[in-house]
Amino acid sequence: MEQPPGGRRRGLVSSLALGQRSCEVTLDEERGLLAWRGGGENCFVPTSEIIAVEETDLNKKQHNSGKWQKMAKPHAFTVYYVKKARNHRWRCSDVTFWCVDEQLCNQWIQALKELLELQKARPKQLLVYINPYGGKRQGKRIYEQKVAPLFSLASISTDVFITERANHAKDNLFEVNINKYDGVVCVGGDGMFSEVMHGLIGRMQKDSGIDQNNPKAPLVQCNIRIGIIPAGSTDCICYSTVGISDPVTSALHIIVGDSQPLDVSSVHHNNTFLKYTVSLLGYGFYGDILKDSEKKRWMGPMRYDYSGFKTFLSHHCYEGTISFQPAKHTLGSPRDKDSCRTGCHICRQSEQQLAEQRKKCGLKHEEDEEEWKVIKGKFLAINVVNMSCACPRSPKGLSPAAHLADGSADLILVRKCSRFDFLSLTSHL
Ligand SMILES: Nc1ncnc2c1ncn2[C@@H]1O[C@H](COP(=O)(O)OP(=O)(O)OP(=O)(O)O)[C@@H](O)[C@H]1O
């Protein structure tokens, strides 16, 4: 073990057994890397992607072969880590190292546990809301079989609340001792996320005496993160932020403390607050689909196809006036060729830019100083999107280059046109 001046441990290097071969295992604290080499293979795991480390239960491990067999009393530890597969899919993998003595084994376990303790963004206590009726009604099973074992492995304690009605989670968020939690997890679809978001934002404003009905009131920022375990019909918010709709991938992102800020838009009518949205605000075609599909919940995810087809045939158009302020400070444009993907550099830059702006002038924006543009006409669809709105059915989304947390939304107006033209537009989505 290296001991630099000052006595602080900078890492460990040991010769340990891995299966039947001996390998050099290095824990480089400064670079945040666990690496092992043996049999011509080099493996690296960033310590930020280690899920847990445990002393290996030798009764469970098959140990009737291998190098460690020569050890009088074998000791081993297992490291569980994130393995990144294709298409943004994450899996939990593990590796077991055998040590010559108990002291060395404990030294490794302690060093790795200390490093995990330093990962301050990781949650320790979560509040979980499960919608048992979302999507294909698999929320409870998905949570219990795929997510809870991972949270328990990562030593995350949870309070689990299974909803019994719509708005149950939202109402509960106004009552719970929210400061006890590092995050709220919703197991369900976009509707369930929306409920939890309304509950959290609403609770913050209520506690701070802010009137949500006032569209110009500077909202108090919500610092509690929301995690989504996809178990809904479209799971667009999960897909657009994580890049895949997969419960295990989402659970692992939550465990390692990943976060992604989002823009939230509010909808007001005559000084009355109606809704917040982070994805799609649709009037006309998409609004009508959502309204109709709500009445057909019994159909399951199929309801969107049914309502979509029905709304397309009705070909309703809406006459109105749209006023908007063109975004001036954004890094991307809705017409950019590159789609917004997980880990998108424009989203990262935009986030920094907004954070700097917020430092200077808080959440206040330059609304009053900027000019408004007005468009009048007959429209088939009026959409405002804060994110690409990609989902498994539409992997590019409604607005592929809409970036996360850039402080702007894409406005998509579809003027009255023939059914044929509208069909060719929607078939591109
Ligand atoms: N126990 C419950 N019974 C009935 N409705 C519920 C219950 N819990 C939550 N809800 C409501 O169900 C609605 C839909 O849930 P959810 O978003 O999880 O699934 P989905 O609609 O199938 O998926 P998506 O929103 O991704 O299309 C939410 O708006 C939520 O308010």
Side-chain angles (χ1 to χ4, degrees):
M1 185 172 78
E2 259 177 72
Q3 284 280 5
R8 203 172 123 68
R9 186 178 51 225
R10 307 285 289 275
L12 287 170
V13 183
S14 307
S15 178
L16 306 176
L18 173 61
Q20 303 210 17
R21 56 197 157 85
S22 164
C23 67
E24 189 180 86
V25 187
T26 312
L27 178 61
D28 185 334
E29 207 176 298
E30 269 175 8
R31 285 162 65 209
L33 269 186
L34 172 69
W36 60 97
R37 201 170 45 212
E41 206 192 350
N42 285 331
C43 299
F44 301 91
V45 175
T47 49
S48 59
E49 290 172 13
I50 293 178
I51 299 158
V53 55
E54 275 181 357
E55 186 171 358
T56 311
D57 182 351
L58 297 177
N59 295 324
K60 281 191 197 160
K61 278 269 166 195
Q62 287 285 311
H63 57 88
N64 56 0
S65 66
K67 186 181 160 69
W68 62 271
Q69 204 176 7
K70 294 171 199 134
M71 298 171 193
K73 196 163 175 265
H75 291 275
F77 62 94
T78 303
V79 179
Y80 298 87
Y81 61 95
V82 171
K83 184 144 189 149
K84 295 182 179 172
R86 288 173 60 181
N87 299 327
H88 308 286
R89 192 180 294 277
W90 285 15
R91 283 292 169 263
C92 174
S93 198
D94 62 83
V95 56
T96 298
F97 298 106
W98 302 86
C99 310
V100 274
D101 61 51
E102 189 175 8
Q103 199 198 350
L104 183 65
C105 186
N106 288 340
Q107 211 171 35
W108 270 93
I109 294 174
Q110 202 194 332
L112 284 162
K113 284 197 168 162
E114 276 172 18
L115 272 186
L116 291 187
E117 274 300 311
L118 291 177
Q119 314 277 331
K120 294 294 175 214
R122 293 188 179 205
K124 289 197 161 73
Q125 178 98 31
L126 292 173
L127 173 59
V128 180
Y129 290 106
I130 302 177
N131 175 3
Y133 296 108
K136 294 184 182 146
R137 305 188 169 203
Q138 297 293 307
K140 202 161 163 283
R141 186 190 63 80
I142 288 173
Y143 182 75
E144 283 166 2
Q145 293 181 5
K146 300 188 170 180
V147 179
L150 288 172
F151 283 174
S152 147
L153 178 68
S155 306
I156 295 175
S157 351
T158 49
D159 286 334
V160 178
F161 186 103
I162 298 174
T163 61
E164 288 164 9
R165 57 175 172 82
N167 287 324
H168 204 175
K170 183 179 142 206
D171 295 345
N172 185 260
L173 275 164
F174 278 82
E175 290 161 11
V176 287
N177 175 9
I178 198 75
N179 299 324
K180 191 172 133 188
Y181 300 105
D182 303 310
V184 179
V185 173
C186 56
V187 183
D190 296 330
M192 197 56 192
F193 170 86
S194 171
E195 246 199 54
V196 168
M197 172 182 71
H198 279 83
L200 269 182
I201 301 181
R203 169 76 186 267
M204 292 294 148
Q205 309 322 308
K206 187 174 165 241
D207 288 355
S208 314
I210 305 274
D211 179 11
Q212 293 183 96
N213 289 317
N214 175 1
K216 296 211 165 176
L219 298 184
V220 171
Q221 202 175 336
C222 173
N223 290 321
I224 295 180
R225 286 172 287 173
I226 306 178
I228 312 173
I229 300 296
S233 306
T234 41
D235 301 316
C236 144
I237 300 162
C238 176
Y239 193 95
S240 302
T241 49
V242 178
I244 187 169
S245 171
D246 174 60
V248 170
T249 304
S250 290
L252 294 172
H253 276 283
I254 293 170
I255 289 170
V256 301
D258 270 352
S259 63
Q260 171 60 60
L262 297 177
D263 289 327
V264 182
S265 304
S266 67
V267 187
H268 288 80
H269 179 67
N270 289 342
N271 277 333
T272 304
F273 164 72
L274 299 181
K275 280 235 175 254
Y276 292 118
T277 172
V278 295
S279 49
L280 164 70
L281 171 64
Y283 193 87
F285 184 68
Y286 289 96
D288 292 349
I289 292 179
L290 290 178
K291 196 172 165 194
D292 188 67
S293 65
E294 266 312 297
K295 294 181 215 148
K296 311 264 176 338
R297 256 187 189 280
W298 54 269
M299 282 187 173
M302 274 286 292
R303 68 187 184 278
Y304 291 117
D305 295 321
Y306 174 83
S307 299
F309 185 60
K310 199 174 134 191
T311 311
F312 173 76
L313 288 183
S314 74
H315 204 62
H316 273 146
C317 73
Y318 296 82
E319 193 161 1
T321 305
I322 293 133
S323 308
F324 65 98
Q325 291 177 307
K328 284 187 182 153
H329 311 293
T330 49
L331 299 167
S333 146
R335 296 193 191 277
D336 285 348
K337 288 228 164 56
D338 290 336
S339 302
C340 177
R341 289 257 160 265
T342 307
C344 162
H345 71 279
I346 295 187
C347 291
R348 255 200 311 267
Q349 270 175 275
S350 305
E351 225 179 282
Q352 279 166 7
Q353 191 173 297
L354 272 189
E356 278 161 26
Q357 206 174 311
R358 206 173 295 132
K359 254 191 223 159
K360 271 192 229 150
C361 50
L363 284 178
K364 184 170 88 57
H365 34 86
E366 298 143 357
E367 196 176 278
D368 297 332
E369 296 137 42
E370 306 217 348
E371 63 175 302
W372 286 84
K373 288 211 164 177
V374 176
I375 298 180
K376 286 185 179 180
K378 288 183 177 170
F379 302 94
L380 281 171
I382 298 154
N383 300 318
V384 178
V385 294
N386 284 329
M387 55 171 66
S388 67
C389 294
C391 65
R393 282 156 165 253
S394 167
K396 283 192 166 177
L398 205 56
S399 191
H403 294 285
L404 306 168
D406 65 351
S408 75
D410 287 0
L411 175 62
I412 307 167
L413 301 177
V414 185
R415 285 194 188 269
K416 187 180 175 188
C417 61
S418 69
R419 276 200 180 87
F420 179 79
D421 285 347
F422 190 47
L423 181 65
S424 65
L425 172 80
T426 48
S427 60
H428 281 102
L429 303 176

